[in-house]
């Protein structure tokens, strides 16, 4: 059986970042950094969005109006923004990969004026390419938002 050498440093760290916390919504990012050997640590990031008034996790059904075609709009917005953020000469982000991230509530954080879609390492770029945040102002999302949504 493989054994861990005594000189090997292993660690695990977890952090929480508060994006918004008020009477309506708690939006946090949970980040983990684990090193178990290799070239770099393993990163994990996940959004936790909680509807305070309803006492439950926020879902896209709580945010977007039924029948609103928000997925295509958000994916296109993210692709365009990521192209600007990528280094010059880098290939354009894959729209399918972007859509996969953008349609997962676990990648969304909400502050008072905008939604943030977070792209962790390896979702649209290599580890060295980094992670990206795409900000979408609520005024832009307004045509897709459910009336009375906790965001916007």
């Amino acid at each position: 059986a493989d054994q861990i050498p005594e000189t090997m440093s292993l660690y695990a760290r977890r952090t929480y970042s508060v994006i918004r916390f008020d009477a309506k919504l708690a939006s946090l990012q949970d980040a983990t950094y684990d090193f178990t050997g290799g070239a770099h640590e393993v990163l994990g990031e996940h959004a936790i969005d909680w509807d305070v008034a309803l006492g439950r996790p926020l879902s896209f059904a709580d945010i977007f109006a039924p029948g609103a075609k928000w997925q295509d709009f958000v994916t296109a917005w993210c692709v365009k923004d990521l192209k600007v953020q990528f280094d010059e000469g880098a290939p354009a982000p894959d729209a399918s990969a972007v859509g996969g991230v953008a349609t997962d509530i676990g990648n969304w954080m909400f502050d008072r004026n905008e939604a943030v879609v977070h792209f962790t390492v390896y979702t649209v770029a290599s580890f060295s390419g980094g992670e990206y945040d795409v900000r979408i102002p609520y005024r832009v999302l307004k045509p897709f938002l459910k009336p009375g949504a906790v965001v916007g």
Side-chain angles (χ1 to χ4, degrees), residues 39-126:
H40 52 75
E41 66 268 356
V42 176
L43 305 177
E45 295 167 312
H46 183 78
I48 301 168
D49 301 303
W50 189 262
D51 186 318
V52 174
L54 296 177
R56 63 177 170 80
L58 189 65
S59 72
F60 284 136
D62 299 321
I63 300 167
F64 296 109
K69 301 292 183 190
W70 63 269
Q71 297 94 334
D72 292 339
F73 173 81
V74 167
T75 297
W77 180 279
C78 290
V79 166
K80 183 178 178 184
D81 188 89
L82 288 166
K83 282 182 186 177
V84 172
Q85 292 188 56
F86 279 14
D87 290 334
E88 189 175 320
D94 177 71
S96 176
V98 171
V101 172
T103 57
D104 179 346
I105 192 81
N107 299 313
W108 285 64
M109 295 166 286
F110 302 92
D111 73 11
R112 293 197 184 280
N113 301 310
E114 62 193 4
V116 179
V117 182
H118 183 69
F119 293 82
T120 61
V121 295
Y122 296 122
T123 56
V124 293
S126 66

